[in-house]
Amino acid sequence: MKFAVIDTETTWTDKVMSIGVVIADGKSIKALKSKYYIINPEFRSGGMFSGTINDAPKDKTFVMSRLEAIQDIKSLLTRESVNTIFAYNANFDYKHLPELNSYTWVDIMKIAAYRQYNQYIPKNAQCCGTGRLKSGYGVEAILNMMVRNYQETHNAYYDAIDELKIVELLGLDIKVYKKAII
């Protein structure tokens, strides 16, 4: 089984300006393929993270319209036999990519933020009765529990890779993520 990890960055007016996609193996949790889409003309209007938009590897970067990018992503997912998309705080990306809503979406955060799934959560961290961290469970905070001195780039390509890294480091059977379907 393969799955995709998708991340988006948006403009000041909440339009998708870039999409990072990583295809991963469901057993090894390793990246197999990756692509980065800069959405034209939307990226030109700028956003909070416009400064990192051109930071992805050139051979992985494609500048195209949203329609072309979505068609290419769907084609990639079909070629790779992927029907499940993972994302951190998946509701955000799901809402911004309604063209991909026919896929099964899984929220990595719904697993990573819980003590019973995440061995890296410090013993003294404040958690709800459910085991979920009360605060500090964004990508950067979670990865800082797992690896030292991590800083999120806010580039959709690298953020998708980092989100896959969280899944890898959690070391859970991929079936556990069925609990996190949105």
Side-chain angles (χ1 to χ4, degrees), residues 42-173:
E42 288 81 353
F43 84 95
R44 296 179 190 283
S45 64
M48 187 179 298
F49 303 113
S50 291
T52 64
I53 200 155
N54 292 309
D55 290 353
K58 299 295 177 221
D59 65 325
K60 304 285 185 180
T61 302
F62 304 88
V63 180
M64 56 181 65
S65 73
R66 180 183 176 111
L67 178 62
E68 292 168 321
I70 294 297
Q71 288 172 340
D72 196 69
I73 291 168
K74 285 181 174 181
S75 177
L76 174 64
L77 298 179
T78 298
R79 280 192 316 276
E80 295 298 322
S81 301
V82 168
N83 57 25
T84 304
I85 297 171
F86 281 50
Y88 204 92
N89 190 19
N91 285 319
F92 180 85
D93 300 294
Y94 180 85
K95 179 184 89 164
H96 284 87
L97 298 171
E99 304 94 330
L100 302 179
N101 288 358
S102 64
Y103 294 86
T104 300
W105 282 73
V106 173
D107 193 343
I108 300 165
M109 184 174 70
K110 288 184 177 181
I111 299 296
Y114 284 80
R115 186 180 299 284
Q116 55 268 44
Y117 302 116
N118 187 344
Q119 65 184 348
Y120 297 94
I121 294 175
K123 300 262 186 266
N124 64 346
Q126 290 192 344
C127 293
C128 301
T130 60
R132 184 180 55 84
L133 285 164
K134 287 188 174 182
S135 63
Y137 51 87
V139 169
E140 188 165 350
I142 291 292
L143 268 171
N144 268 311
M145 292 175 195
M146 300 172 145
V147 297
R148 292 182 185 256
N149 300 316
Y150 168 78
Q151 280 195 313
E152 191 172 2
T153 62
H154 295 290
N155 170 289
Y157 177 78
Y158 289 115
D159 289 355
I161 290 170
D162 292 344
E163 292 165 21
L164 176 60
K165 187 71 172 171
I166 291 171
V167 175
E168 178 189 1
L169 290 170
L170 286 173
L172 302 168
D173 187 295

